Structure formats: C-alpha cells, structure tokens
Amino acid sequence: EVHALQIIEEYVYGSDRDFNSYELNIIKKDASRMNVVDHSNLKVLRMDAKVLAERLCVPVWDNVDR
C-alpha cells in the first residue's frame, strides 16, 4: 500500500518563537497521505526517512531545498 515517503517543510508560528518544521508523510498507492512525524531537525528526519524507505523498498520524495 505504501507508494513513497514524502518530506515537506512548513513554517510554524509559535507563542515564544517561529521555526521551520519538517513533516515525514507516507504516500499510499491510492494517493492519500498519512503523517508519520513532524520534526525540527531536517538532517535527523532525512536519516530516519532513508532507513524507513529502505525497509519498505520505496523512494523518498524530498521537497526541501536545504
């Protein structure tokens, strides 16, 4: 059922400070999307996505330009 993993960036407006957050989503074969985790550390999220993608044998769609 899993077609790919997706990494996207969002800007979060917090009460104390604003920051970038990164989402790891599962893209299913029916084109629906399911959030796995939100993370503030892009490097760690990319490593987690790589491990998960290798185990699931699916690509990672990384839409973040950093």
Side-chain angles (χ1 to χ4, degrees), residues 27-60:
I27 306 299
K28 297 172 78 176
K29 290 184 180 183
D30 67 1
S32 64
R33 181 172 68 177
M34 180 173 49
N35 181 261
V36 176
V37 67
D38 292 328
H39 205 295
S40 62
N41 188 320
L42 180 58
K43 183 177 179 180
V44 171
L45 184 70
R46 282 180 168 151
M47 290 187 307
D48 292 343
K50 181 181 178 190
V51 170
L52 187 57
E54 287 173 356
R55 293 198 185 240
L56 295 172
C57 299
V58 297
V60 176

Side-chain angles (χ1 to χ4, degrees), residues 10-42:
E10 64 181 348
Y11 196 70
V12 177
Y13 297 94
S15 58
D16 293 332
R17 65 182 181 92
D18 302 337
F19 59 95
N20 289 329
S21 178
Y22 306 95
E23 289 184 12
L24 176 60
N25 298 313
I26 290 175
I27 306 299
K28 297 172 78 176
K29 290 184 180 183
D30 67 1
S32 64
R33 181 172 68 177
M34 180 173 49
N35 181 261
V36 176
V37 67
D38 292 328
H39 205 295
S40 62
N41 188 320
L42 180 58

